[in-house]
Every structure is written in structure tokens, then in C-alpha cells.
């Protein structure tokens, strides 16, 4: 069997007396896009923050490519191969595309073999090749991120994940507030990530998009994972029943 790119088991998380996650378990295979859906307060964001090192779980385990991990910070998670693409993207607006992709990991060359200098030629060459590879529609790699559209900004974050060989990419509401064409491009890039062997967690509310782009869908309700199915074996109606608790109530009656 293929080792999961990511496996979480029995994750609990409390904030004071509030139980936010209750025994959540899930797996994502390399090259798979898993949709994670649920109403507000279902625990989606908290689960993603546990996986990405923002919060520490109170119980449970996380395995990355088969090895158990415990992250103290988001930097630890990123260094291990977990990239998160948030709605606000966490990009440096006043830096250009290349600077954002290499931020904190800039290549250097040594002048006369002694003086370290930023290797701008390598950055420009790598960025041009990478953007062409993902068909990003960014016309000028030297443009400031501030001047890019929402979809182009998503492309920068996705390019960074591919270049640094992420094992898992968390896409948190990546199409929110995007125009139709840009939304299509972002969905296409989610599949591009999967084609690179990366496991993708796609968090969203638009069930049409979720069923279109994801291989599987997991529903969360009140801190639990209550449903998991192949996208081609479920429907919007069924997902809504689990998201709203109706299916859960029927099971318990």
C-alpha cells in the first residue's frame, strides 16, 4: 500500500472548556486532492492550524510520509514540507514574484569566491521556468505582488509550494472573491499540485467547486469527521445533509 502523504489520527483540541476537535482522523495520499467541508464552527480551520503548526493538538498523532511529527511552529511545519495557502496568502506585497518564492531561502553566490551575494540570475531563471510550468498567466515575473490580481497571487503561492517540494499543501478557501476565470485557473493549479505527487487539502464552501476539483470529500460537523466519500460517489445534497447534522441525527435515531 502507498504510504499516506499525511495521516492524522484521533486529534483532539480544546480551548479552555470548549472542545473544538473531537477525535478527528483522516488520510491524504500523494497526488490526491481531499476536500474538507463543513459549516462555520465545524472545526475545519482549527484542524488545518493543528496540521500546519499554528496550534498543538491535545491528543492524537500526525504522520507525514509515514513519520510521526510534532510541530512547535508553522516554520517547523513548512520546513517539513507542509505549505499553507491562506485567503490572505501571507505574501510580501512590496516584493516581486521571485523574492516571494525564495523568501527566507534565497540562493547566494560568492563574488571572487569570498563575498556572498544574492544570486539574482538563478532566481529569475528558476521563476520564469516555474511560472511557465504551471501556466500562471503572470506576464512579468519582476512585478510586485501588490500589483497582481487575486488569481495571480494564488499562483505565486502555489509556485512556491511546488518549487520547495512540499509534501502537503493546504488551500484555505483559495477561490474566495476571485472572478470566474481566475477561479478556474486556481482549480487547475490545485490539480497541477496533485500531478506533482503533492497531497492537497482543499478547504471550501462552494460544493460545485469541491466536487469538481477533489478526488474525495470529508465533511466535518461539530468538531468531528462525520463523512468521507469519493467525489464521484456523493452529491451536493448528501454533503449538505452531513454538514447540517441531518444525516447524523438520522443515524442516532
Amino acid at each position: 500500500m502507498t504510504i499516506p502523504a499525511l495521516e492524522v489520527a484521533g486529534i483532539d483540541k480544546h480551548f479552555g472548556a470548549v472542545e473544538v476537535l473531537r477525535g478527528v482522523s483522516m488520510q491524504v495520499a500523494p497526488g490526491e486532492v481531499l476536500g474538507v467541508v463543513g459549516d462555520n464552527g465545524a472545526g475545519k480551520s482549527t484542524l488545518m492550524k493543528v496540521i500546519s503548526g499554528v496550534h498543538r493538538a491535545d491528543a492524537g498523532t500526525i504522520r507525514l510520509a509515514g513519520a510521526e511529527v510534532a510541530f512547535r511552529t508553522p516554520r517547523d511545519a513548512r520546513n517539513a514540507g507542509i505549505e499553507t495557502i491562506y485567503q490572505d496568502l501571507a505574501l510580501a506585497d512590496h516584493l516581486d514574484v521571485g523574492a516571494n518564492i525564495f523568501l527566507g531561502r534565497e540562493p547566494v553566490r560568492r563574488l571572487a569566491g569570498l563575498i556572498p551575494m544574492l544570486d539574482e540570475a538563478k532566481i529569475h531563471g528558476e521563476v520564469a521556468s516555474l511560472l511557465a510550468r504551471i501556466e500562471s498567466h503572470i506576464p512579468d515575473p519582476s512585478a510586485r505582488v501588490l500589483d497582481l490580481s487575486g488569481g495571480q497571487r494564488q499562483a505565486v503561492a502555489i509556485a512556491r509550494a511546488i518549487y520547495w517540494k512540499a509534501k502537503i499543501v493546504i488551500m484555505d478557501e483559495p477561490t474566495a472573491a476571485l472572478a470566474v476565470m481566475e477561479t478556474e485557473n486556481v482549480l487547475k493549479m490545485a490539480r497541477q499540485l496533485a500531478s506533482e505527487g503533492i497531497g492537497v487539502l482543499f478547504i471550501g464552501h462552494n460544493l460545485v467547486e469541491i466536487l469538481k476539483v477533489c478526488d474525495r470529500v470529508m465533511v466535518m460537523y461539530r468538531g468531528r469527521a462525520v463523512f468521507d466519500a469519493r467525489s464521484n460517489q456523493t452529491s451536493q445534497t448528501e454533503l449538505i445533509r452531513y454538514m447540517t447534522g441531518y444525516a447524523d441525527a438520522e443515524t442516532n435515531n
Side-chain angles (χ1 to χ4, degrees), residues 13-173:
K13 182 63 184 176
H14 301 79
F15 293 105
V18 180
E19 191 176 27
V20 182
L21 297 176
R22 298 184 286 167
V24 178
S25 298
M26 56 174 270
Q27 293 185 0
V28 186
E32 180 180 41
V33 182
L34 173 64
V36 181
V37 300
D39 207 350
N40 293 334
K44 305 185 304 297
S45 294
T46 301
L47 177 61
M48 296 309 125
K49 288 177 180 178
V50 168
I51 294 169
S52 62
V54 176
H55 298 318
R56 296 201 69 175
D58 296 313
T61 59
I62 301 174
R63 293 183 179 275
L64 191 62
E68 187 169 340
V69 294
F71 304 128
R72 293 178 299 173
T73 67
R75 181 180 291 273
D76 289 344
R78 187 178 179 192
N79 289 342
I82 296 178
E83 289 276 354
T84 304
I85 302 174
Y86 294 109
Q87 284 175 290
D88 60 11
L89 294 177
L91 297 176
D93 282 345
H94 293 281
L95 297 181
D96 66 20
V97 173
N100 270 277
I101 291 175
F102 285 90
L103 190 62
R105 295 178 278 195
E106 295 84 355
V108 297
R109 60 184 178 86
R110 293 191 176 273
L111 186 63
L114 297 172
I115 304 171
M117 297 183 64
L118 183 66
D119 193 341
E120 294 186 1
K122 180 176 181 178
I123 290 175
H124 292 155
E126 295 284 356
V127 169
S129 174
L130 185 60
L131 294 181
R133 179 174 158 193
I134 67 171
E135 300 178 13
S136 67
H137 304 289
I138 297 176
D140 182 6
S142 65
R144 294 185 309 168
V145 166
L146 180 66
D147 299 323
L148 300 180
S149 69
Q152 290 170 336
R153 289 164 60 86
Q154 293 281 1
V156 174
I158 289 168
R160 183 172 62 192
I162 290 175
Y163 186 81
W164 293 107
K165 302 187 186 308
K167 297 181 179 72
I168 289 289
V169 171
I170 300 170
M171 302 182 75
D172 184 10
E173 298 281 358

